Amino acid sequence: MELKRVVVTGLGAITPLGLDVETTWSNALKGVSGAGPITHFDASLFKTQFACEVKGFDPTMCLVDPEDRRELKDVKRTDLYTQYALASARQAIIDSNLTAEGVDRDEVGVIFGSGIGGLHTFEEQAGYYAIHEADGPKYSPFFIPTMIADIAAGHISMKYGFRGPNFGVVSACATSTNALIDAFNYVRLGKATAIVTGGAEAPIFPAGVGGFNSMHALSTRNDDPLTASRPFSASRDGFVIGEGAVCLIFEELEHALARGAKIYGEVIGGGMSADAYHITATHPEGLGAKLVMQRAIKDAGIKPEDVDYVNVHGTSTPVGDPSEAKAIADVFGEHAYQMSISSTKSMTGHMLGATGAMEALFCIKACQDGIIPPTINHAEGDEDEQIDYKMDFTFNQAKKRDVNIALSNTFGFGGHNASIVVKKYAE
């Protein structure tokens, strides 16, 4: 069976760096930090009191018709994570003109992930039950369909009438990379002509911050939140929690060309693996990370030395960063010193189930524009003896270079690993 070529024809983003792709990308290249004091709730009693929040979001950004108040009422019944998903999808669908006359909506699918789903809805409803326990359970009839992690995919499908493959993906912080890989495979196997894909997360509420705090996973640098996410620096003390959504349109090349769609880049491979080691920690030798990169490279039909840029998982945790750096050295050998590496989580924070889509988008833009976004917040002398600094981590400043092929890594609790490979588009 001949596999079809898969290209990216639309992009959308609601992130801590901006409410669209252009602003997000521009701020990433400038090295802007998205971190700041938490505003979603009173975090004054929490160990961590800052996060990378989305700023200025308005639910009307989700609407197909901004004048339709009934549609706005329906949107307000969704969890914030779904609102972020709908808003990013709207941007990407408009960008790709995927609802144009002549596009068969029976052949367009939606594969959209969330690592946690409607955490705020769950927390709100559980809290209500606890308060009114003496009166018996009092749950909203919208509780379950608002909370579940697949509902964003369902809402996107219903809103635009896309009747192709439709489901959610959950694999913790690898979620949206897994969603992208599924979308890539469905299109290249001819199961759909296009897939609306990506990930969304809205975890910056008491249960999210408190839960990660109890695991000692988050940075507690409350005196300096802007520089708290410092991947590959010795002084890193945990990740900065982020939120938002990113959507990409994956489309079969001939279908895209036939309708005159713009093409941002090409998807050429994906890999998956498991650490089979620990529920939260990465393997200290990076065995799962090494395996997933090797599989992605093999699936793409390229050699390690063909990769120009790796957007690393790089969460700014004491254990995770060195193990990923070791895996990169093992996979790429001497080429590890020739390519560029960066962790954009230093700016966006860790967007959990949305992070893979965010970083795949950055890889596509790096290929398109010939520039590597930086790893910010690294200070001279802040080196970790476990990390080989002969590798180019693109510290503090974006770097111009030709990028033909880029690889993005994401690793999730449970030992889930996923990597995707994208390429500059050429006919």
Side-chain angles (χ1 to χ4, degrees):
M1 178 181 179
E2 184 179 353
L3 297 177
K4 299 179 183 297
R5 290 175 65 182
V6 181
V7 292
V8 181
T9 59
L11 301 172
I14 301 291
T15 80
L17 299 183
L19 297 176
D20 54 50
V21 173
E22 182 181 357
T23 307
T24 296
W25 179 236
S26 174
N27 281 331
L29 296 183
K30 293 173 186 173
V32 173
S33 171
I38 290 172
T39 64
H40 289 341
F41 69 96
D42 180 2
S44 59
L45 298 180
F46 285 70
K47 292 179 183 177
T48 296
Q49 299 167 10
F50 61 94
C52 286
E53 292 181 335
V54 170
K55 294 94 174 164
F57 179 75
D58 182 339
T60 60
M61 296 174 182
C62 305
L63 307 185
V64 174
D65 178 3
E67 301 301 319
D68 187 340
R69 309 322 289 174
R70 180 179 294 180
E71 188 189 2
L72 180 59
K73 182 180 178 181
D74 289 341
V75 163
K76 286 184 174 179
R77 287 175 172 165
T78 61
D79 190 88
L80 183 59
Y81 100 90
T82 299
Q83 293 177 17
Y84 288 160
L86 284 166
S88 69
R90 178 176 183 266
Q91 292 175 19
I93 290 164
I94 290 172
D95 187 33
S96 69
N97 200 24
L98 199 58
T99 55
E101 187 177 348
V103 174
D104 184 353
R105 299 192 196 192
D106 288 354
E107 298 300 318
V108 179
V110 183
I111 302 175
F112 219 90
S114 180
I116 301 175
L119 181 64
H120 184 222
T121 298
F122 183 85
E123 185 177 67
E124 209 172 42
Q125 289 290 308
Y128 187 91
Y129 175 61
I131 292 168
H132 296 83
E133 192 171 5
D135 300 329
K138 297 181 186 296
Y139 289 104
S140 164
F142 297 102
F143 172 37
I144 298 300
T146 302
M147 174 199 72
I148 51 180
D150 70 306
I151 203 66
H155 275 291
I156 295 166
S157 169
M158 289 181 281
K159 190 167 287 293
Y160 295 97
F162 296 143
R163 291 176 289 271
N166 178 256
F167 57 91
V169 175
V170 179
S171 53
C173 305
T175 289
S176 52
T177 303
N178 277 127
L180 267 57
I181 292 170
D182 280 354
F184 168 58
N185 284 328
Y186 272 75
V187 175
R188 71 170 168 173
L189 290 170
K191 305 294 185 182
T193 56
I195 300 281
V196 180
T197 187
E201 208 78 84
I204 307 174
F205 294 101
V209 175
F212 282 117
N213 265 157
S214 69
M215 297 169 57
H216 306 286
L218 298 183
S219 170
T220 56
R221 207 177 296 275
N222 294 311
D223 58 336
D224 191 10
L226 287 176
T227 72
S229 182
R230 45 185 74 180
F232 303 102
S233 294
S235 59
R236 65 193 183 279
D237 71 328
F239 71 82
V240 177
I241 195 167
E243 63 174 352
V246 173
C247 181
L248 305 93
I249 308 300
F250 284 9
E251 188 168 352
E252 191 268 315
L253 173 61
E254 295 304 321
H255 186 266
L257 291 174
R259 66 185 191 89
K262 75 179 79 164
I263 296 176
Y264 287 98
E266 185 171 0
V267 188
I268 60 172
M272 295 172 280
S273 77
D275 276 0
Y277 172 71
H278 190 272
I279 58 170
T280 57
T282 56
H283 193 285
E285 298 299 313
L287 297 186
K290 178 180 176 180
L291 188 59
V292 76
M293 286 185 278
Q294 290 172 329
R295 286 177 174 168
I297 289 167
K298 181 179 180 180
D299 188 52
I302 60 172
K303 300 174 182 177
E305 54 267 31
D306 294 327
V307 177
D308 302 301
Y309 169 50
V310 177
N311 188 301
V312 291
H313 188 57
T315 56
S316 186
T317 57
V319 174
D321 291 4
S323 64
E324 187 174 11
K326 185 180 189 310
I328 289 170
D330 288 346
V331 170
F332 292 97
E334 287 301 312
H335 183 64
Y337 307 116
Q338 307 303 318
M339 62 187 188
S340 294
I341 299 165
S342 71
S343 171
T344 46
K345 289 185 183 72
S346 58
M347 297 173 285
T348 65
H350 193 351
M351 295 166 64
L352 307 183
T355 206
M358 178 78 272
E359 290 156 16
L361 185 153
F362 284 149
C363 285
I364 289 162
K365 294 297 289 182
C367 290
Q368 186 182 35
D369 295 350
I371 189 164
I372 307 296
T375 305
I376 66 169
N377 301 328
H378 181 75
E380 189 174 348
D382 191 10
E383 279 81 38
D384 183 336
E385 62 182 16
Q386 301 177 83
I387 295 171
D388 185 353
Y389 290 97
K390 294 195 296 291
M391 292 191 287
D392 178 13
F393 291 97
T394 322
F395 284 131
N396 298 324
Q397 191 168 1
K399 178 179 180 180
K400 289 184 178 181
R401 68 168 290 170
D402 288 336
V403 181
N404 187 48
I405 294 176
L407 180 149
S408 174
N409 285 336
T410 47
F411 313 139
F413 286 176
H416 314 300
N417 305 310
S419 298
I420 193 163
V421 185
V422 300
K423 183 179 181 180
K424 183 185 296 184
Y425 172 69
E427 292 184 15

